Amino acid sequence: MTHVSERVQALAPSATLAMSQKSAELKAQGVDVINLSVGEPDFNTPAHIKEAAKKAIDDNFTFYTPVAGYMSLRKAVSEKLKRENGVDYAPEQIVVANGAKQALCNVILASINPGDEVVIPMPAWVSYVEMVKLAGGTVVSVDADITQDFKITPDQLEKAITPATRMLLLCSPSNPTGSVYSREELQAIVDVLAKHPDVMVLADEIYEHINFTGSFTSMAAFPEIADRVILINGVSKAYAMTGWRIGYCAAPLWLAKAVTKLQGQYTSNASSIAQKAAEAAYTGSQECVAEMNEAFRRRRDLVVELASDIPGLKVNRPQGAFYLFPEVSAYIGKTTLEGKKIECSADLAMYLLESGHVATVDGGAFGMEGYIRLSYATSDDNIREALRRMKEALLALK
Ligand code: PMP
Ligand code: GLU
């Protein structure tokens, strides 16, 4: 028999992970696929961080840790937030989780009741909507397409807020678009929020360090709303540590306590060894972060140049993260050589995979039909060859 809960039946599978899995399966069958689907840095974790993990094993950091993480790591995060972002969260307000993904889900499950509304600017990372659904909350989408550089306006936010709104979920630099809100743009959003004291802000700042604007403003840096801002961050992207699974929330104390209670019942602490590695990431030299950022900036220039050269694609110039989100509607409605009609951007992503052997992700998975997402966290050679294949495959459509 099978008996899958309604809760899980209602969940959509993660499209980013599904596409990456499909690309890995094709590769295993001997197909030469270039994977621009999953978003993870292609760099190895820096040596000093790996050394700290080896030392942690030798020093027997192999027992359960406090549910919210080692105090030494929570202190290191608190100091990082002060040093780099100018914001104040005491170590007791930091809860370390198995990646930023769990940190986000923890906060949503610990603060959203059925019927509560969560405002999410679209396009948005695939998991936000599903996490809100898990909590029984209602997603209120606010669309920001390429014509507004994928950023919502204060006016749009004002219109989306109702008496039932509990939270705004904002991601900057953004997955899937790479857009970065400037300090002025954030201030305008904050001015709206200041009028609605019951709305919390869940700010996903995981791409903070992959940012080509030269400056980053944390959502918690605005005193008008700082006491209801929950920051999400972690080591996956900035330190090339996706597999280590360390992220955290920095939250008001009441919420940090609720999150700790929740996590204490279903995963306990994140890996003791990975926590020690993350501590080394935050307290050690930050040169690796700047080097990787520079590599991503160079690749951004390359991918924008090559994608702009494909007729029909509309491309913005992302200011951060490692994604490009081109508008592809010029190719929707066209037909493949085999006579199959491309009905939507999901069909186009599948066509690019099967005919062009390039894995991308359908924009529909991020709440915006008519786009695809490319992750350019890969070598220059892969980017060149992938974009060459995409151009050839797209031009073959009639
Ligand atoms: N937020 C965003 C916007 C992401 O793209 C990701 C994907 N890695 C995460 C959170 C989760 O990151 P992790 O769980 O690897 O820390
Ligand atoms: N966040 C990355 C992405 O968007 C990793 C996969 C995932 O966790 O969804 O591709």
Side-chain angles (χ1 to χ4, degrees):
M1 59 81 86
T2 56
H3 190 275
V4 177
S5 68
E6 286 167 16
R7 187 182 307 113
V8 170
Q9 284 186 52
L11 276 188
S14 165
T16 46
L17 299 181
M19 203 59 174
S20 184
Q21 177 70 27
K22 192 156 169 65
S23 141
E25 281 164 18
L26 282 175
K27 259 192 196 155
Q29 291 164 20
V31 183
D32 163 33
V33 176
I34 302 180
N35 188 2
L36 305 187
S37 64
V38 75
E40 71 174 334
D42 55 325
F43 301 108
N44 292 324
T45 301
H48 70 281
I49 298 175
K50 294 197 280 199
E51 284 309 317
K54 291 177 200 168
K55 183 166 184 314
I57 296 174
D58 287 339
D59 291 349
N60 297 309
F61 284 96
T62 52
F63 299 89
Y64 290 130
T65 82
V67 169
Y70 286 125
M71 196 33 107
S72 55
L73 173 58
R74 295 160 78 200
K75 277 193 180 135
V77 168
S78 170
E79 280 159 18
K80 169 253 181 281
L81 291 173
K82 185 79 199 155
R83 184 178 66 238
E84 294 186 347
N85 309 109
V87 303
D88 288 309
Y89 288 90
E92 293 71 24
Q93 292 177 268
I94 315 286
V95 184
V96 177
N98 294 281
K101 199 178 240 180
Q102 189 188 11
L104 278 158
C105 203
N106 276 343
V107 168
I108 291 170
L109 288 175
S111 62
I112 297 300
N113 277 323
D116 287 346
E117 291 179 1
V118 179
V119 176
I120 308 186
M122 297 288 170
W125 180 46
V126 292
S127 296
Y128 296 157
V129 168
E130 303 307 315
M131 290 173 181
V132 173
K133 276 192 341 206
L134 260 188
T138 303
V139 172
V140 176
S141 304
V142 178
D143 285 351
D145 68 11
I146 197 165
T147 61
Q148 55 191 89
D149 196 24
F150 304 111
K151 292 186 255 189
I152 60 163
T153 63
D155 210 36
Q156 283 182 299
L157 177 62
E158 184 72 71
K159 289 201 177 98
I161 294 176
T162 75
T165 308
R166 288 297 295 137
M167 183 180 273
L168 165 69
L169 211 175
L170 198 73
C171 180
S172 174
S174 155
N175 177 4
T177 66
S179 291
V180 181
Y181 287 80
S182 67
R183 176 177 268 277
E184 293 69 32
E185 286 163 339
L186 288 180
Q187 181 67 62
I189 299 277
V190 168
D191 290 346
V192 174
L193 292 165
K195 290 186 263 171
H196 301 279
D198 293 334
V199 179
M200 296 181 284
V201 184
L202 183 51
D204 186 345
E205 301 187 344
I206 187 93
Y207 293 101
E208 166 189 10
H209 285 299
I210 305 169
N211 181 346
F212 321 127
T213 66
S215 77
F216 174 77
T217 306
S218 170
M219 207 58 188
F222 296 90
E224 305 92 307
I225 57 163
D227 63 345
R228 48 191 162 106
V229 173
I230 304 129
L231 298 183
I232 299 292
N233 210 327
V235 292
S236 285
K237 315 288 167 166
Y239 300 94
M241 292 177 70
T242 48
W244 299 77
R245 311 307 305 129
I246 296 291
Y248 59 84
C249 70
L253 196 56
W254 62 267
L255 186 52
K257 283 183 181 162
V259 161
T260 306
K261 181 163 80 169
L262 175 69
Q263 186 169 299
Q265 287 292 21
Y266 84 111
T267 62
S268 303
N269 60 274
S271 156
S272 55
I273 297 149
Q275 285 189 52
K276 281 292 172 192
E279 194 179 318
Y282 285 121
T283 53
S285 163
Q286 301 300 303
E287 253 169 60
C288 54
V289 177
E291 278 167 21
M292 288 188 271
N293 188 51
E294 181 50 26
F296 286 125
R297 194 195 51 73
R298 221 174 11 80
R299 293 166 179 183
R300 185 275 312 264
D301 291 346
L302 180 63
V303 79
V304 167
E305 180 196 322
L306 296 174
S308 304
D309 192 42
I310 301 179
L313 286 199
K314 288 195 194 122
V315 174
N316 70 333
R317 192 174 175 76
Q319 298 297 318
F322 36 63
Y323 304 107
L324 186 71
F325 200 64
E327 203 247 33
V328 294
S329 53
Y331 291 97
I332 292 168
K334 294 205 171 192
T335 308
T336 68
L337 288 177
E338 293 78 33
K340 188 178 174 301
K341 192 161 175 207
I342 305 289
E343 306 273 6
C344 54
S345 43
D347 283 357
L348 193 71
M350 205 42 79
Y351 167 73
L352 288 173
L353 178 61
E354 286 166 356
S355 295
H357 298 159
V358 178
T360 61
V361 185
D362 159 36
F366 302 95
M368 195 155 281
E369 172 57 37
Y371 292 78
I372 57 172
R373 188 191 77 173
L374 315 182
S375 163
Y376 59 82
T378 187
S379 68
D380 291 17
D381 285 349
N382 273 347
I383 294 172
R384 280 205 185 83
E385 177 59 12
L387 274 284
R388 190 197 63 73
R389 290 182 191 183
M390 279 179 58
K391 185 173 181 179
E392 190 174 275
L394 291 171
L395 293 179
L397 291 171
K398 291 286 166 249

